[in-house]
Amino acid sequence: MSIEKSKSPIHSVTRMTSKPVLYSYYRSSASYRVRIALQVKGIDYEYKAVSLIKDGGEQYKEEYKKLNPMGQVPTLVIDGHTLVQSLPIIEYLDETRPSPRLLPEDPAGRVKVRSLAEIVNSGIQPLQNLPVLKKVGDDQKLEWAKYWIERGFKALETSLQETAGKYSFKDEVTMADLCLVPQVYNALRFGIDMSEFPTIHKVYDALVTLEAFKAAHPSNQPDTPADQKP
């Protein structure tokens, strides 16, 4: 993967390039999902950092919001398209670059994988992301985040007991895994006791040994602070 870090995250957004451009923040779990997908697919891309904390959040700058009206990361510019929202981006990559697949070929399998992904994408991550925690306030944010992560993990643990093999869905890496690993990363940051979720923990431990997941890890990005690098 070739990475270029601009001084400004929205520098030269209209510059023509044949290489996909990912607008990302190193610790954004949604960006993390897409970074894993790009690595799994072997897609060479350019990385443009969008700090979610600098100057009140670079994602809210008007120039960036021309790319992503919600003022969120990730944004992926690829094939002449500007794509937003992590799961639709991953599905686009899977449909246009189907090997290796991140969604099973059979409809029942695809539904299962999407359901597992949505437990995280809809039921956990939005309730403990940065804007919500700011609204909750410093005094309550840790308790709030832990409640919603643990609540969602109970459902995910039960679901994985039926679907998991080596990974979330049998023995192939799927979109569900791309959601699970960043969410466990967040859970560990918030001090969640993962021994309460043995199936999630087992799947996570297997996934983080894979090269694509290592390369996409928050500690290995161009905008990772020096004190958080390996």
Side-chain angles (χ1 to χ4, degrees):
M1 179 187 68
S2 174
I3 293 177
E4 171 186 324
K5 183 183 177 185
S6 302
K7 292 182 179 179
S8 166
I10 49 178
H11 176 68
S12 301
V13 295
T14 59
R15 176 174 58 82
M16 294 300 292
T17 178
S18 58
K19 184 181 291 187
V21 177
L22 178 67
Y23 294 83
S24 174
Y25 179 60
Y26 79 105
R27 209 160 62 185
S28 156
S29 57
S31 297
Y32 191 175
R33 298 168 191 164
V34 173
R35 293 196 304 262
I36 299 169
L38 291 165
Q39 292 289 344
V40 168
K41 297 287 187 182
I43 300 171
D44 190 26
Y45 69 93
E46 182 178 343
Y47 187 109
K48 288 190 177 291
V50 181
S51 173
L52 303 188
I53 57 176
K54 183 180 178 181
D55 300 326
E58 293 176 332
Q59 72 274 26
Y60 299 126
K61 290 185 176 181
E62 287 305 313
E63 192 173 357
Y64 179 72
K65 288 178 74 174
K66 291 176 183 176
L67 293 172
N68 190 318
M70 278 291 288
Q72 297 176 332
V73 289
T75 299
L76 181 66
V77 180
I78 188 170
D79 301 336
H81 306 295
T82 300
L83 308 179
V84 299
Q85 301 297 334
S86 62
L87 297 197
I89 291 172
I90 291 166
E91 295 223 19
Y92 174 85
L93 294 176
D94 213 44
E95 290 173 7
T96 59
R97 295 152 175 87
S99 181
R101 298 189 67 89
L102 291 171
L103 286 161
E105 292 190 44
D106 65 292
R110 288 198 297 273
V111 168
K112 280 288 188 182
V113 168
R114 288 180 175 125
S115 297
L116 294 168
E118 285 297 341
I119 291 175
V120 174
N121 187 56
S122 299
I124 305 176
Q125 191 271 336
L127 295 161
Q128 48 88 88
N129 65 8
L130 185 60
V132 171
L133 295 182
K134 284 183 176 179
K135 195 73 173 177
V136 170
D138 289 341
D139 292 343
Q140 299 180 52
K141 68 179 183 181
L142 180 59
E143 180 182 358
W144 173 277
K146 290 181 73 172
Y147 171 80
W148 289 107
I149 295 171
E150 289 172 348
R151 182 178 184 272
F153 272 8
K154 289 175 183 176
L156 184 59
E157 176 72 19
T158 299
S159 298
L160 289 178
Q161 288 171 4
E162 298 181 2
T163 64
K166 188 175 182 180
Y167 306 125
S168 295
F169 186 75
K170 302 180 181 180
D171 296 326
E172 300 296 328
V173 172
T174 66
M175 186 169 68
D177 299 307
L178 276 55
C179 292
L180 181 146
V181 165
Q183 189 57 60
V184 174
Y185 171 82
N186 278 346
L188 294 172
R189 287 178 55 221
F190 287 114
I192 301 295
D193 180 4
M194 291 304 300
S195 67
E196 296 184 15
F197 310 105
T199 312
I200 297 175
H201 200 179
K202 180 198 74 170
V203 170
Y204 173 81
D205 284 348
L207 289 164
V208 295
T209 66
L210 303 178
E211 289 303 318
F213 287 77
K214 292 179 183 179
H217 192 274
S219 65
N220 292 324
Q221 304 314 306
D223 56 332
T224 306
D227 62 355
Q228 296 182 38
K229 286 183 176 289

